[in-house]
Amino acid sequence: MPINLFEYEELAKKQLSQMAFDYYSSGAWDELTLRDNRVAFERMKLKPRVLIDVSDRNLSTSILGQSLQSPLLTAPMAFQCLAHEEGEIATARAAKKAGVGMTLSTMSTKSIEEVATQGNYSDINSSSNNSNNTPRWFQLYIHKDRDLTSNLVKRAYAAGYNALCLTVDAPVLGQRERDRRNEFTLPAGLNLANLASISDLEIPTEHGESGLLLYFAQQLDPAITWKDLAWLRSLSPLPLIVKGILRGDDALRAVEYGAKAIIVSNHGGRQLDGAIASFDALPEVITAVDGQVPILVDGGIRRGVDILKALALGASGVLIGRPILWGLAVGGEAGVTHVLDILRNELSVAMALCGCSRIQDIDLSLVR
Amino acid sequence: MPINLFEYEELAKKQLSQMAFDYYSSGAWDELTLRDNRVAFERMKLKPRVLIDVSDRNLSTSILGQSLQSPLLTAPMAFQCLAHEEGEIATARAAKKAGVGMTLSTMSTKSIEEVATQGNYSDINSSSNNSNNTPRWFQLYIHKDRDLTSNLVKRAYAAGYNALCLTVDAPVLGQRERDRRNEFTLPAGLNLANLASISDLEIPTEHGESGLLLYFAQQLDPAITWKDLAWLRSLSPLPLIVKGILRGDDALRAVEYGAKAIIVSNHGGRQLDGAIASFDALPEVITAVDGQVPILVDGGIRRGVDILKALALGASGVLIGRPILWGLAVGGEAGVTHVLDILRNELSVAMALCGCSRIQDIDLSLVR
Amino acid sequence: MPINLFEYEELAKKQLSQMAFDYYSSGAWDELTLRDNRVAFERMKLKPRVLIDVSDRNLSTSILGQSLQSPLLTAPMAFQCLAHEEGEIATARAAKKAGVGMTLSTMSTKSIEEVATQGNYSDINSSSNNSNNTPRWFQLYIHKDRDLTSNLVKRAYAAGYNALCLTVDAPVLGQRERDRRNEFTLPAGLNLANLASISDLEIPTEHGESGLLLYFAQQLDPAITWKDLAWLRSLSPLPLIVKGILRGDDALRAVEYGAKAIIVSNHGGRQLDGAIASFDALPEVITAVDGQVPILVDGGIRRGVDILKALALGASGVLIGRPILWGLAVGGEAGVTHVLDILRNELSVAMALCGCSRIQDIDLSLVR
Amino acid sequence: MPINLFEYEELAKKQLSQMAFDYYSSGAWDELTLRDNRVAFERMKLKPRVLIDVSDRNLSTSILGQSLQSPLLTAPMAFQCLAHEEGEIATARAAKKAGVGMTLSTMSTKSIEEVATQGNYSDINSSSNNSNNTPRWFQLYIHKDRDLTSNLVKRAYAAGYNALCLTVDAPVLGQRERDRRNEFTLPAGLNLANLASISDLEIPTEHGESGLLLYFAQQLDPAITWKDLAWLRSLSPLPLIVKGILRGDDALRAVEYGAKAIIVSNHGGRQLDGAIASFDALPEVITAVDGQVPILVDGGIRRGVDILKALALGASGVLIGRPILWGLAVGGEAGVTHVLDILRNELSVAMALCGCSRIQDIDLSLVR
């Protein structure tokens, strides 16, 4: 059994098709940002505090009034049925069991409703003080077809999702060359579960091209601007989270236009190769926003101690992407559960070794 | 089919003779500057802007009042018939089709006139507002024989070239050891097309030496100075561009002596090994010149996003060297067209992902 | 015969079981801190002084009024009988012969009393001006069972140990994945010599886990705080040394709570992976403490010149860990003696080449 | 035929015994300084000047009123007969032919007088304005036997050497582990040519040790100090040069005690491993001395452009060490001549490409 997230990746690589593994693991162009996302965490050195009672550690926290047993959510990742037949449902169940958040992708292979039903989301919005009120976010891509988009938001709200997470770093799809070489498309039997019920949208195929790239070019809207956030917010009472910010000025603008949280992200190195590592972009965003809304970060987190580093810089939580898929590929729901368990355990040890009993004890003085 | 410029290089390497590939790909001495030219671009990190309407991107720009469909020219490179029998003519046609500029080398294997005729340059200077007014520059080496030099300028002007690009970083030829080991010289059937019509000049051969190095030592003038620019400018109405500047003070001097544009370059790492990467030299030159004339840069650009990085630092455009030769080697005119297409497409994606619809939107705030 | 400490490691690796070598050599998680501990020394450059009479070099020094023939002690390391049947006794004899200090681990495989008897500690505390008054420190882990802990301190004092060295960087055990893969536990015949006499404590075993980690979790107390130092000091007249400090503020706090010396350490990279290299943490601690108590450092020292570097930054001495074990594995007491001899000789040469005849001549101006 | 100094090293390695190659090529301990000496030059980037008449380049310069056709001397290196039977005589002839300086080692395998006779030094000191007045320096190690030392100086003066170069970075010999493994000693037939005539001194042998290290320990004096320079200066009218300075304060002290030139050196990385790269130490020394005496540098120079870099920082010249031995091993006198020719030619090209016609044109503005 894998004992860390790197071993999960190795094992998943053996179990997945080349096309699926490449789709999940690759980055754009030369994968410089993909690698730098990881290295950025390794560069940061910690100065632990000692002789503090850490016998009773509590990793729970809350973001937007939503409770987390540990400060993390699964990142929105498309096509999870490529990894395991239960796909997003398995992820949802594992997240629920672990008491962490989940973000469902617009491009999921299980529908908004299936995930909500299986994940038992129904009562979330009706009982805001419920201890069960964990982040169950719906990630949104805005399609050119605004009715389709609006429908997605309404379905997510109706199904019990408790925030809307707008991806803003993908006006066009990043060029992932491994997908292109593989002529990536969904295998027979998988489809865009949220979109098929509305139209006949499917991942197109074309010789020498990634089907996903074609889909993006045909269906998604590269014209959206800050002003569209008002329209988006009008579609439901759900709080709006903006994902894909790497600059202080954009972060401030997001707050100004009503975002209730910001996710510092470069889309796992899959969009603009050459973009700053998300962890390296965190300080500028934290400084600019100055506590007005919570800041999360994703990209390159592979150890619990990385979460501590992000929190030390001022993040309120992190999103975990590819490792969730490796868990899914290796063991379905149980695999995701184990991945989350490893992260939680590593974070707990890292906190103990840094003299932190609670999430709030993690502060800037811990980093060099 | 190659999908990026690195794959073009790999494929070209297989198709070219060792002597030709080495001539094109090598740098001087230990090739430190050659490598650093590339790494300099990889070091620079971007901070993209989001939520800007990038649905309608326009990559066109102009330099010296000359139009470009994307902000690039092919760099002046000698002996293009080593890569493909149509040589510089194929490059000219591909550049014209792509709406980008071309710089013809003094050391070309197709003559000034052949390239102009095949590239349809004839009407360029007669119609300055013509949309066809793209950069068709002639790169000049000053020979010890000043009449020969003067003749080259006059022929270029007569043939419809619209700027003169003086290379100033080669008073002597850099020592490229691979050429020396290969005893580099032109194969039978190829010659210095611009010079053969005037005299019997040809690339000499000598055991254990690069023929090109001998040619330089015999024919070219290491004594030219800033004062010679006045003479050069007097030979034709063509605007003078100085190529091979790496310092702010030299850039200012170029402006003072009448240069209408400057190309920051270390000759692709082929001259002074140990010279600063051209991309790293850009900020000092940009600052010194302070907008008086446009600044271009070449050396190490292999991705469209590298062009964006150069423009973000303040460059008006870039020159693309070796990748053009790889395209030529792999597919002649069609290969060059594809290489230019890849760069344009990558730049377009990079702009979209940085929130830039037009070339002018690319600014310094995008770089870290 | 090995001629440096790296060769000792290679040879030891061949002679030890995989489980023992891994236990000794590994670090926590990704072993980033383990590697950085070493690289930190390699990064530091020296500016030697010349033309000073170095014919008569004296490496002796004192710490807490205790004499050292060279400025080093063996670090507290558990389970030395894994390396050689004489274990900690061989180390004690070699240290005594070399005139350097030794720190006995709570987790030793020879008891406090055995080591004291064989190492001839009996008369140390009775004759404080004795030239034999070398550091014979007892390293302490505080068990949840405070009587057991108190007993350990009293035994150490009674047996002639002359300082108590409290490890503060291990409220929980670091996750050393090689141990986990090996399901590390003590082989039959070895036990926790200091603890077995009191109770039936032994290293537990469990499938897929390090036994040491389980022992820590079961027996050691993660709740100790600065205030417990007063209790600890009340148990004996022994001076208290705090080991495992990486911050200036913690160092000051240690002084405030009565520590008589501080050891800057990250536990050889075995606890918090991602922690700053101990050598890199030294300047902040030195500056904060400002001479109030002596500062020692361990982690990554493999050459005599590393000791000089640490002393140049202001350390009073260093602790040597793993290389002692390699000496033990290769040659028992003679191996440790040789390792200490190599270090002493290298330090002597380094001092000569830096223009230092005495330990006090090593100053900050020697480092860049 | 090798075309650069790296190829000379490769070829020499094939032709020399392992013991001889190791003796020449190795550094102390972990060879960190050995490597850093080279990398320091590669790190430094140049900003060349253009459009300067470089048709007529003059590489000649002078140091201490002694003429050099190019700004370099061969470094003092022991035992040159290990590389070629003509040893130091071949080096002297090649240096003379090239118009560069030579420094003869105390530990030479050809005597002071043989080298002077064969190198035609006889008339040097009698005709100070002679164009033949090139640096013919004698490097001195001070033996415990002061008469022996005094005799060496007097013999050097009598034989026509024109400066005394005192090595100050070797009060004890650095620990070169390859020599130790090889039990380095001189093969039968070779001896310390300068010392054998006085006594029966020879390189001792001992199992598991470098004979040279034993010789140093037995014969050379680690007690010399700045005050001994006065005695040394009193022995002859020769100007005194101090070799092995890496600090500004030591450089100033050398000037104060009568040194007429300083050589910034770490003994080719063979003494204190961990010492700053000599090239990196240059600026501090240049700044401290502020033009009072000329500063030279050695260590890591493998390209003519490295000489330009050293001169740009303010050095008056450089010493070339190991590459001379590679030339000697490959081709005796002709090999050394070729090595010197390569360096001269590369420097000439580097000067042309930096816009420098004369040595004095090389200034600080060329380096980044």
Side-chain angles (χ1 to χ4, degrees), chain D residues 53-230:
Chain D
D53 178 355
V54 292
S55 55
D56 186 22
R57 294 189 296 285
N58 186 339
L59 280 65
S60 69
T61 187
S62 72
I63 295 175
L64 300 177
Q66 301 167 358
S67 304
L68 289 162
Q69 293 306 307
S70 59
L72 65 94
L73 298 86
T74 68
M77 292 170 293
F79 312 144
Q80 300 191 12
C81 287
L82 277 176
H84 187 271
E85 58 181 352
E86 296 186 68
E88 292 82 0
I89 290 174
T91 302
R93 286 180 180 149
K96 186 181 180 66
K97 186 180 293 177
V100 304
M102 174 176 172
T103 318
L104 184 72
S105 170
T106 291
M107 311 294 273
S108 63
T109 42
K110 295 291 182 184
S111 73
I112 291 170
E113 291 78 10
E114 285 173 292
V115 172
T117 306
Q118 301 286 333
N120 209 18
Y121 290 11
S122 51
D123 57 351
I124 290 183
N125 287 326
S126 55
S127 56
S128 66
N129 294 322
N130 194 324
S131 69
N132 200 22
N133 177 24
T134 351
R136 304 297 174 196
W137 299 351
F138 179 68
Q139 177 271 339
L140 190 70
Y141 282 119
I142 298 186
H143 285 65
K144 288 175 184 165
D145 179 342
R146 293 291 167 109
D147 287 345
L148 188 158
T149 305
S150 155
N151 229 313
L152 285 170
V153 174
K154 288 170 182 165
R155 284 169 58 197
Y157 179 62
Y161 292 77
N162 52 15
L164 209 58
C165 171
L166 178 69
T167 298
V168 297
D169 56 12
V172 301
L173 197 72
Q175 296 182 313
R176 304 157 197 174
E177 299 190 343
R178 290 197 250 162
D179 286 353
R180 190 161 166 193
R181 287 188 201 102
N182 296 331
E183 300 179 11
F184 174 77
T185 192
L186 286 182
L190 294 193
N191 55 27
L192 300 173
N194 296 324
L195 303 162
S197 60
I198 301 175
S199 70
D200 283 333
L201 292 179
E202 56 179 34
I203 294 282
T205 58
E206 181 178 301
H207 181 62
E209 195 44 86
S210 153
L212 185 63
L213 194 133
L214 297 173
Y215 179 88
F216 255 69
Q218 289 166 14
Q219 305 294 337
L220 300 187
D221 190 352
I224 53 167
T225 68
W226 293 104
K227 294 186 178 164
D228 295 302
L229 300 197

Side-chain angles (χ1 to χ4, degrees), chain D residues 1 28 30 32 84 87 90 152 161 175 188 191 194 202 234 242 257 263 269-270 292 325 340 344 357:
Chain D
M1 190 135 89
D30 300 313
L32 301 173
H84 187 271
L152 285 170
Y161 292 77
Q175 296 182 313
N191 55 27
N194 296 324
E202 56 179 34
S234 75
V242 172
Y257 282 91
I263 302 173
R270 295 161 78 82
Q292 296 178 70
L325 300 170
L340 293 172
R344 179 190 173 82
S357 292

Side-chain angles (χ1 to χ4, degrees), chain A residues 258-318:
Chain A
K260 298 302 182 205
I262 287 167
I263 303 173
V264 174
S265 174
N266 52 35
H267 212 119
R270 296 161 77 82
Q271 288 291 109
L272 178 69
D273 193 42
I276 186 172
S278 48
F279 182 63
D280 288 337
L282 195 49
E284 179 180 317
V285 171
I286 296 281
T287 302
V289 170
D290 196 22
Q292 296 178 70
V293 302
I295 310 295
L296 295 94
V297 65
D298 74 4
I301 294 166
R302 295 295 176 272
R303 288 283 186 187
V305 71
D306 300 331
I307 304 176
L308 183 145
K309 288 175 180 175
L311 269 55
L313 289 189
S316 297
V318 304

Side-chain angles (χ1 to χ4, degrees), chain B residues 308-367:
Chain B
L308 184 145
K309 288 175 180 176
L311 270 55
L313 289 189
S316 297
V318 304
L319 278 70
I320 305 297
R322 293 176 181 93
I324 299 298
L325 299 170
W326 310 143
L328 207 50
V330 169
E333 180 187 334
V336 178
T337 295
H338 190 213
V339 162
L340 292 172
D341 202 48
I342 289 173
L343 278 173
R344 179 191 173 81
N345 184 240
E346 287 180 353
L347 173 57
S348 177
V349 169
M351 287 173 62
L353 296 177
C354 285
C356 302
S357 292
R358 299 164 309 155
I359 292 300
Q360 306 94 290
D361 297 337
I362 302 170
D363 68 20
L364 194 56
S365 92
L366 290 172
V367 295

Side-chain angles (χ1 to χ4, degrees), chain C residues 257-334:
Chain C
Y257 282 92
K260 298 302 181 204
I262 287 168
I263 303 174
V264 173
S265 173
N266 52 35
H267 212 118
R270 295 160 77 81
Q271 287 293 107
L272 178 69
D273 193 42
I276 186 172
S278 48
F279 183 64
D280 289 336
L282 196 49
E284 179 180 317
V285 171
I286 296 281
T287 302
V289 170
D290 196 24
Q292 296 179 70
V293 302
I295 310 295
L296 294 94
V297 66
D298 74 5
I301 294 167
R302 295 294 177 272
R303 288 282 185 187
V305 71
D306 300 332
I307 304 176
L308 184 145
K309 288 175 180 176
L311 269 54
L313 289 189
S316 296
V318 304
L319 279 71
I320 305 296
R322 293 176 180 95
I324 299 300
L325 299 170
W326 311 144
L328 207 49
V330 169
E333 179 187 334

